[in-house]
Amino acid sequence: MEGFKEELINNILPYWMDKMQDHENGGFYGRIDGTEVLHAGSNKGSVLNARILWTFSSAYRTLKDEKYLMVARRAYEYIKTYFIDKENGGIYWELDSKGNPVNTKKQTYAQGFALYGFSEFYRATGDKEALELAKEFFYLLEKCYDQQFGGYLEAYTADWKPIDDVRLSDKDANEKKTMNTHLHILEPYTNLCRVWDDDALKIAQERLIRIFTDKILDKGNCHLNLFFDEEWNVKFPAISYGHDIEASWLLFEAAEVLDNKSLLDEIKKISIKIADAAAEGLQPDGSMIYESKGGHLDKECHWWVQAEGVVGYMYAYRNSEDHIYHEKAAKLWNYIQHNLVDTQNGEWIWSRLPDGSINRKDDKAGFWKCPYHNSRMCMEMIEHF
């Protein structure tokens, strides 16, 4: 498979550098819609900004091009200045276009992405302030840990009190614990382990891996359950094929940074089983559909699912030496190139609908449409495969 570096430097990253930098109010615009119209007055989301920070930090670390460092530093300074709650700690969920907080709740998921961005900025630059911020967010996340039943609670008020609506988005169930949030705490903890040798972090990392193997993973079918109450009872059974394949490689990566061979050997086997379960979502054209809920298949092909599929199956290939996984990854990459990459405007479209038509309703760049899944796919392929 070829073309990942070219896709990254010629199509994905330039889109964000050329079209999304807000030169009037600072930072980055909140939205370009699915028809390429810029909405300069849209609100700015913490997750998008943290993902931009991670993406351009990682691009600079990987490719050593100063123009990526400039964008990473822009994201870093904007998050520090506007998103961090100076009084209560953590980052706000949402700002208006001028940088004023409009949704001050503390979503655990967002704190995880801030940690991910800060730790990668430190990896890229050696900036000690960024490492201190990453440590600060680690301690903050550990305060979200449920000492009674284990795992991390979803959300809080601005001053870290319990909150009724803990959902990430309208599509999510309003439950105390989710697979998605745990996955995106695992991911930054892995990155922090690379740059900070700390016993408390290692303990938290191994404990989090065990939450996946003992609470989140369905041992019967090797899919990941999505929503739970406080005591880890499964709520609203569904299968997310994209999260399955993403978790398959992030779990392996999480074990890899710990000096524990028996754990790594165990997780390697589990990782391949999860990748096999996710393959139920693969279609004859190589694409991976979105989810199965209540026996109904949602056959929309989202950009991020395909990107995570390429990485997940390449890890499965490396860990098993079975060429079938390489074939799956290659077919996904072929599907991406012919169906999702926007060669005219740059970046990727959000998705293809079940009838094969382009989804124009969802954003090209926005609150949830970010450069991190597809950029990370490219950088994983450049660095490791």
Side-chain angles (χ1 to χ4, degrees), residues 22 26 45 49 58 68-69 71 81 99 109-110 128 134 184 203 210-211 218 240 245 268 299 319 351 375:
D22 183 346
N49 280 264
S58 187
Y68 303 139
L69 175 60
V71 181
T81 304
Y109 180 99
K128 291 182 180 175
H184 296 299
I203 290 167
R210 285 297 169 211
I211 287 170
D218 185 320
S240 172
I245 195 61
K268 183 185 286 189
K299 293 192 172 184
N319 288 335
S351 66
S375 293

Side-chain angles (χ1 to χ4, degrees), residues 114-383:
L115 198 169
Y116 198 35
F118 292 141
S119 59
E120 190 65 17
F121 189 72
Y122 175 73
R123 285 183 80 197
T125 65
D127 186 318
K128 291 182 180 175
E129 180 193 51
L131 179 59
E132 291 308 310
L133 279 167
K135 292 178 185 178
E136 182 182 311
F137 274 74
F138 165 68
Y139 295 129
L140 197 67
L141 281 163
E142 286 306 292
K143 289 181 182 176
C144 303
Y145 189 77
D146 179 355
Q147 297 295 336
Q148 185 175 4
F149 298 111
Y152 295 82
L153 296 168
E154 280 292 297
Y156 302 85
T157 62
D159 56 352
W160 298 98
K161 301 288 194 306
I163 190 171
D164 290 334
D165 187 350
V166 299
R167 295 174 299 168
L168 278 176
S169 72
D170 293 342
K171 295 179 181 177
D172 291 310
N174 191 30
E175 295 296 337
K176 298 284 189 182
K177 293 169 186 172
T178 70
M179 174 282 305
N180 199 7
T181 288
H182 283 79
L183 188 62
H184 296 299
I185 298 172
L186 184 74
E187 170 185 69
Y189 279 17
T190 298
N191 215 36
L192 191 55
C193 281
R194 295 184 172 117
V195 295
W196 184 35
D197 185 9
D198 180 78
D199 288 342
L201 173 60
K202 290 175 185 174
I203 290 167
Q205 177 80 337
E206 186 161 346
R207 184 179 65 189
L208 193 42
I209 291 169
R210 285 297 169 211
I211 287 170
F212 272 89
T213 61
D214 298 346
K215 304 290 187 184
I216 295 175
L217 179 69
D218 185 320
K219 292 181 176 63
N221 61 25
C222 290
H223 291 292
L224 303 179
N225 288 308
L226 304 181
F227 298 101
F228 309 85
D229 65 16
E230 274 180 283
E231 299 180 35
W232 290 105
N233 297 301
V234 177
K235 313 289 283 188
F236 306 103
I239 294 167
S240 172
Y241 301 109
H243 283 113
D244 282 347
I245 195 61
E246 183 181 19
S248 74
W249 75 270
L250 288 178
L251 263 175
F252 176 78
E253 184 187 58
E256 199 173 28
V257 297
L258 297 174
D259 187 19
N260 185 332
K261 186 178 184 304
S262 63
L263 176 65
L264 184 60
D265 289 343
E266 177 191 350
I267 296 302
K268 183 185 286 189
K269 292 172 185 168
I270 291 172
S271 168
I272 292 168
K273 288 180 180 178
I274 298 172
D276 287 339
E280 293 167 16
L282 290 172
Q283 301 300 290
D285 63 1
S287 65
M288 181 176 279
I289 62 173
Y290 188 52
E291 66 179 8
S292 172
K293 190 181 290 184
H296 171 72
L297 290 178
D298 182 342
K299 293 192 172 184
E300 191 172 340
C301 290
H302 292 239
W303 98 97
W304 70 268
V305 175
Q306 319 312 310
E308 295 300 337
V310 171
V311 183
Y313 286 117
M314 286 305 291
Y315 269 83
Y317 167 60
R318 192 178 70 182
N319 288 335
S320 69
E321 299 182 347
D322 186 335
H323 278 273
I324 187 127
Y325 298 114
H326 191 282
E327 291 170 17
K328 291 183 191 327
K331 286 186 76 173
L332 276 160
W333 176 224
N334 183 65
Y335 177 85
I336 288 166
Q337 291 174 292
H338 289 94
N339 295 278
L340 297 177
V341 172
D342 186 343
T343 54
Q344 182 178 352
N345 301 297
E347 245 289 341
W348 298 6
I349 61 168
W350 181 288
S351 66
R352 288 275 178 174
L353 298 172
D355 65 2
S357 62
I358 295 174
N359 171 9
R360 303 278 186 200
K361 298 194 303 296
D362 286 302
D363 293 340
K364 190 70 172 297
F367 215 87
W368 292 108
K369 180 64 162 59
C370 58
Y372 120 102
H373 290 286
N374 49 3
S375 293
R376 186 170 68 179
M377 176 202 73
C378 293
M379 287 183 277
E380 283 289 325
M381 295 301 292
I382 292 165
E383 282 194 278

